[in-house]
Amino acid sequence: IQGTIRPHAIIILPNTGGMELLLTYEDEGIYIDIYGHFTKETVLQWGEMPASVAYLQSNQVMGWGEKAIELRSVETGNLEGVFMHKKAQKLKFLCERNDK
């Protein structure tokens, strides 16, 4: 990537003892270990550029974009759900509360 990178979140992957991470930035995410080595060939690719990204206890990552909220599997990056919305908002924080 040339130029400035906009980071979203660093997610510690479950069942890895804190040794593997999902780094989300721009419109994608990569899987690395704490030494910076790639652990998966898979790249998480958002459908649109998220303004905010959050980890959910259900082992999903949620990305809030201008037109939709995407739910993706933390383990595989596969799309698991999309919620369309009409009002684009810029959120400072995106988080889960009471398993919702």
Side-chain angles (χ1 to χ4, degrees):
I1 296 178
Q2 300 292 325
T4 305
I5 297 173
R6 186 174 67 176
H8 295 296
I10 299 171
I11 299 164
I12 299 170
L13 295 175
N15 305 319
T16 64
M19 299 293 288
E20 294 183 23
L21 310 167
L22 170 60
L23 301 180
T24 59
Y25 59 93
E26 299 296 327
D27 64 346
E28 62 186 24
I30 57 171
Y31 296 88
I32 64 169
D33 62 19
I34 60 171
Y35 305 107
H37 301 112
F38 289 99
T39 58
K40 294 183 181 181
E41 296 286 325
T42 305
V43 174
L44 184 148
Q45 188 71 49
W46 298 103
E48 67 174 331
M49 179 79 73
S52 301
V53 173
Y55 173 72
L56 305 178
Q57 292 177 354
S58 57
N59 286 333
Q60 294 175 315
V61 64
M62 176 172 53
W64 179 283
E66 189 173 320
K67 297 178 183 173
I69 300 169
E70 294 181 36
L71 294 174
R72 293 189 172 270
S73 166
V74 168
E75 298 292 327
T76 64
N78 292 337
L79 183 65
E80 294 186 345
V82 176
F83 301 95
M84 302 304 290
H85 61 82
K86 293 180 182 178
K87 188 175 179 184
Q89 297 177 349
K90 191 162 190 170
L91 304 176
K92 186 170 184 179
F93 299 103
L94 181 63
C95 60
E96 177 182 33
R97 184 173 179 173
N98 298 329
D99 292 331
K100 296 184 180 184

